[in-house]
Amino acid sequence: MRDAHKIMEKIISLAKQRGFIFQSSEIYGGLKSAYDYGPLGVELKRNIMNEWWRTMVYEREDVTGLDASIIMHPKVWEASGHLAGFSDPLVDCLISKERFRADKAPTPNIGDEIHITCNDKGQAKNYQLAIEKRFNIVLQRNGKNLEGLKVIDTNKIGFFETDQEKESKTFDFPGYVSPTFNSPFLSKEKQFNLMFRSQIGAVDALGDIANFVNDNKHLDKDEMKQGIEKIVKDSAVYLRPETAQAMFVQFLNCQQTMSMKIPFGIAQMGKSFRNEITTEHYIFRSCEFEQMEMEFFVEPGTQKKWLDYWIDKRLEWWKSFSNYPDNFIYRAHEKDELAHYADACYDIEYKYPWGYDELEGVASRTDYDLKKHAEHSGTKLSYFDQQKEDPETGKMGWRYTPYVIEPAAGATRGLLVYLIDAYHEETVQDAKGNDTTRVVMKLHPKLAPFKVAVLPLIKKDGLPEIARDLVNSFMKAGINARYDEQHAIGKRYRRHDEVGTPYCLTIDGETKADNCVTIRDRDTMKQERVSMNEAVKIIIDKLNQSTTD
Ligand code: GAP
């Protein structure tokens, strides 16, 4: 049933048709990797984020919330290292112009043949000519492949004429090829900053730049670039690439106003922005996305215990809304994967249709961030524990810089995970007894955009009025209910199956006489007739029951 290859296409199509996710600016041709969350997508996203907030903040005395500015003082990003280090090594293919991340590219082994794989024979011919012109070799064309190259050393590629055992020419090899075409003809690596830059202030830097260029025509290219950079930098601000830094910058304010005692956490959720070069897998990696992050401040030396604690908690949370909890795992980072500030890190991974990949990172960030912000701002970011003995002096009272455990989750990535988890196709029989496919989104009731749909069987005889009254009763009880009278009842059931509505209530001709309605369960399709006066309570009980199962 769960065909891995087709499932993404089906989910993308359903998400668009049913109002979960639209391409951004679609009528203008769309904007690459930008998405809008439609009428049902916004509900699903909020439900996920509200559940996270409930678990992380409302249900805990040791975590407090924060909603910080997206644009922060540029020095924040200098201190955090994002301005200098938040960059990807990028490479261009000199033939196809494909741009890609060097650290994610395929790495053939010594002895491997390299076949440049074109889209079609015509392109193969064009690339063959382009390579001949630029590198003075004629690769052999085999359909849409270009052949004759082989890795002969860790840093060398050889060109072999047809049937020749010895290479006639060699080329430098960086150890990887381009991901789409398999091309080893590549530019040098360039660093590319992932932060979106903007300007703040009333004066437009363009005017200053124009004056500078006009007054300094004698400068060479690099000097001109440096001069312009300086002007831009003076008024530059950045869209935050993560929500985390605000929690470090506001550590003292949150700790003092709420009298928090260590261990304690500061939680924040909201938009983050990264100028991602490789956007991939629909909303999995996009330039604008939402995060749910918490910085948990702990006593130095206790970080391992708290790291283990938070990995368990977070994994359990993701599983609790899933039909397939076994699809969530965690994986320890290898030493060479660790960020410079972390002494340990785990990824919570989900089994996406393309394989296991990251959903949330749980990092042990040491005291790196608080120390950096203290150093750059000149403000002491430390904690004084009166009850503890200072390990160095042996005296009561210990001032230290807390260590930090950070569970950092993607909310929009989580939404994709739950769409994949929910998507089901089932064979059922239609009214004539023929097999037909039912698509049902088995979203957890807490996440489902609508909890209940109220459907009058026909649009007359007072049934719509009864249905609307019932919808109002649900609304008053805080249950998101939907009135729906369009199309035949079977079609309406299917529509609500496809958006994950757990229960449909039908008002029919008998309702007026017996004051009863029919409840249809989304997953089992079983129907039961209940008193209308009890309907709201019964649904509330069912929703509560489903969340404690
Ligand atoms: N403060 C640490 C931090 O931001 P991260 O691993 O870069 O760590 C945390 O991001 C989570 O945010 C990721 O596990 C992922 O779920 C989500 N995320 C990161 N970049 C994303 C992107 N470009 N699009 C969608 N989600 C993203």
Side-chain angles (χ1 to χ4, degrees):
M1 199 292 279
R2 295 175 69 77
D3 179 348
H5 302 294
K6 288 267 160 67
I7 198 162
M8 283 305 289
E9 273 172 42
K10 290 179 176 177
I11 287 169
I12 293 170
S13 160
L14 181 141
K16 180 178 177 193
Q17 289 183 5
R18 291 293 175 216
F20 284 96
I21 302 171
F22 306 128
Q23 175 72 63
S24 159
S25 322
E26 192 182 337
I27 59 168
Y28 290 102
L31 180 66
K32 192 173 151 256
S33 107
Y35 296 93
D36 294 346
Y37 293 84
L40 298 195
V42 61
E43 297 299 331
L44 177 56
K45 180 148 69 77
R46 280 194 186 158
N47 290 343
I48 293 170
M49 295 175 83
N50 289 343
E51 282 304 316
W52 183 85
W53 194 259
R54 198 170 58 76
T55 315
M56 298 298 267
V57 182
Y58 293 159
E59 290 181 358
R60 301 188 65 103
E61 275 186 35
D62 57 356
V63 179
T64 187
L66 178 70
D67 186 7
S69 301
I70 284 174
I71 296 175
M72 298 168 73
H73 197 294
K75 281 197 172 162
V76 169
W77 308 114
E78 252 174 60
S80 68
H82 283 89
L83 260 180
F86 199 58
S87 50
D88 281 342
L90 283 192
V91 178
D92 291 323
C93 167
L94 298 172
I95 307 303
S96 66
K97 309 294 175 237
E98 177 187 9
R99 177 170 281 185
F100 60 94
R101 279 177 62 167
D103 57 339
K104 300 264 181 194
T107 51
N109 298 315
I110 296 175
D112 285 355
E113 289 186 7
I114 293 181
H115 294 172
I116 297 181
T117 317
C118 306
N119 287 327
D120 51 44
K121 287 183 183 172
Q123 193 179 52
K125 205 168 170 184
N126 291 340
Y127 284 1
Q128 185 191 38
L129 282 173
I131 292 167
E132 182 182 2
K133 222 165 149 189
R134 191 154 181 169
F135 299 100
N136 211 12
I137 55 170
V138 183
L139 294 179
Q140 298 110 41
R141 260 194 295 131
N142 183 3
K144 57 183 189 163
N145 286 352
L146 295 175
E147 301 178 358
L149 298 168
K150 195 195 260 188
V151 183
I152 53 174
D153 205 342
T154 45
N155 57 356
K156 280 276 172 282
I157 278 198
F159 168 59
F160 295 76
E161 310 268 5
T162 313
D163 298 333
Q164 293 302 305
E165 301 231 322
K166 175 106 189 83
E167 71 272 9
S168 56
K169 206 160 179 189
T170 61
F171 300 92
D172 287 344
F173 174 52
Y176 50 81
V177 291
S178 70
T180 312
F181 293 97
N182 251 359
S183 162
F185 299 113
L186 306 170
S187 73
K188 293 248 171 308
E189 289 180 19
K190 288 175 252 175
Q191 293 302 116
F192 181 87
N193 201 293
L194 284 177
M195 279 202 293
F196 281 101
R197 183 166 62 190
S198 189
Q199 303 293 127
I200 200 162
V203 182
D204 186 354
L206 275 181
D208 291 344
I209 293 170
N211 290 338
F212 175 81
V213 172
N214 203 35
D215 297 345
N216 293 285
K217 289 194 176 124
H218 59 283
L219 295 180
D220 71 20
K221 198 174 146 199
D222 283 344
E223 290 167 332
M224 188 69 87
K225 199 174 157 213
Q226 274 170 18
I228 294 173
E229 281 231 29
K230 185 168 175 337
I231 299 171
V232 171
K233 218 178 157 199
D234 284 347
S235 56
V237 286
Y238 302 88
L239 301 189
R240 69 179 177 206
E242 60 173 21
T243 56
Q245 291 305 318
M247 276 89 92
F248 300 122
V249 173
Q250 295 293 4
F251 164 75
L252 272 191
N253 280 333
C254 291
Q255 189 262 319
Q256 287 170 358
T257 52
M258 301 304 287
S259 307
M260 302 302 281
K261 291 209 170 6
I262 275 186
F264 78 92
I266 307 176
Q268 175 169 220
M269 49 189 197
K271 294 237 169 173
S272 291
F273 303 82
R274 293 183 194 175
N275 199 359
E276 300 277 8
I277 296 312
T278 41
T279 51
E280 54 187 347
H281 302 309
Y282 194 34
I283 57 170
F284 175 81
R285 190 183 309 286
S286 46
C287 291
E288 180 177 336
F289 55 100
E290 300 223 34
Q291 289 186 304
M292 310 180 292
E293 296 194 283
M294 197 268 290
E295 307 304 320
F296 198 70
F297 301 94
V298 304
E299 194 183 297
T302 63
Q303 65 270 29
K304 168 84 179 72
K305 177 183 90 181
W306 286 109
L307 180 64
D308 292 347
Y309 170 88
W310 280 111
I311 295 162
D312 283 352
K313 281 274 169 217
R314 296 302 307 141
L315 190 64
E316 194 187 300
W317 187 84
W318 286 111
K319 287 180 174 199
S320 69
F321 303 104
S322 165
N323 297 293
Y324 305 96
D326 289 348
N327 284 345
F328 296 80
I329 58 165
Y330 65 83
R331 180 185 70 80
H333 276 208
E334 302 290 339
K335 280 259 174 313
D336 59 358
E337 269 183 283
L338 280 181
H340 57 281
Y341 50 73
D343 63 6
C345 185
Y346 287 80
D347 278 349
I348 293 180
E349 296 190 335
Y350 176 69
K351 195 174 175 188
Y352 298 90
W354 59 90
Y356 279 104
D357 214 332
E358 183 184 341
L359 168 60
E360 171 164 356
V362 187
S364 173
R365 289 182 78 121
T366 66
D367 54 1
Y368 177 87
D369 303 88
L370 286 179
K371 281 202 165 144
K372 279 284 165 200
H373 286 299
E375 186 187 313
H376 283 250
S377 66
T379 305
K380 245 192 209 158
L381 297 175
S382 57
Y383 178 81
F384 185 67
D385 191 336
Q386 288 176 331
Q387 318 294 326
K388 282 267 156 75
E389 200 174 89
D390 185 324
E392 276 179 23
T393 62
K395 291 189 184 146
M396 274 314 269
W398 182 20
R399 181 168 291 284
Y400 60 82
T401 306
Y403 271 48
V404 175
I405 305 301
E406 175 193 70
T412 39
R413 200 174 281 185
L415 187 149
L416 175 62
V417 162
Y418 286 128
L419 285 180
I420 296 168
D421 182 271
Y423 187 89
H424 284 77
E425 285 177 10
E426 293 171 358
T427 303
V428 292
Q429 294 198 325
D430 65 15
K432 292 181 188 151
N434 298 323
D435 278 354
T436 163
T437 302
R438 176 174 93 114
V439 172
V440 50
M441 291 298 277
K442 294 191 178 175
L443 287 168
H444 191 284
K446 277 193 175 173
L447 305 186
F450 303 128
K451 310 301 177 203
V452 57
V454 184
L455 321 172
L457 193 61
I458 50 171
K459 285 194 237 177
K460 54 183 186 182
D461 298 340
L463 302 195
E465 288 76 12
I466 299 172
R468 284 196 192 279
D469 279 350
L470 192 52
V471 168
N472 284 339
S473 310
F474 277 111
M475 294 295 199
K476 270 190 201 141
I479 308 276
N480 194 8
R482 176 83 176 165
Y483 173 83
D484 192 349
E485 62 174 26
Q486 292 298 327
H487 301 119
I489 192 73
K491 239 182 169 174
R492 277 182 271 169
Y493 284 152
R494 288 299 172 84
R495 193 158 60 226
H496 282 283
D497 287 344
E498 288 192 11
V499 301
T501 309
Y503 303 105
C504 285
L505 265 61
T506 307
I507 313 293
D508 57 28
E510 300 293 302
T511 301
K512 271 203 261 181
D514 65 4
N515 199 37
C516 286
V517 294
T518 306
I519 300 178
R520 173 188 180 268
D521 181 286
R522 174 195 71 193
D523 297 344
T524 63
M525 292 191 291
K526 286 205 175 117
Q527 305 197 358
E528 59 176 315
R529 199 135 176 100
V530 303
S531 157
M532 196 155 58
N533 301 339
E534 297 286 307
V536 174
K537 187 182 171 307
I538 290 171
I539 293 294
I540 289 176
D541 287 348
K542 280 182 185 289
L543 289 172
N544 287 340
Q545 174 62 32
S546 66
T547 60
T548 51
D549 281 344

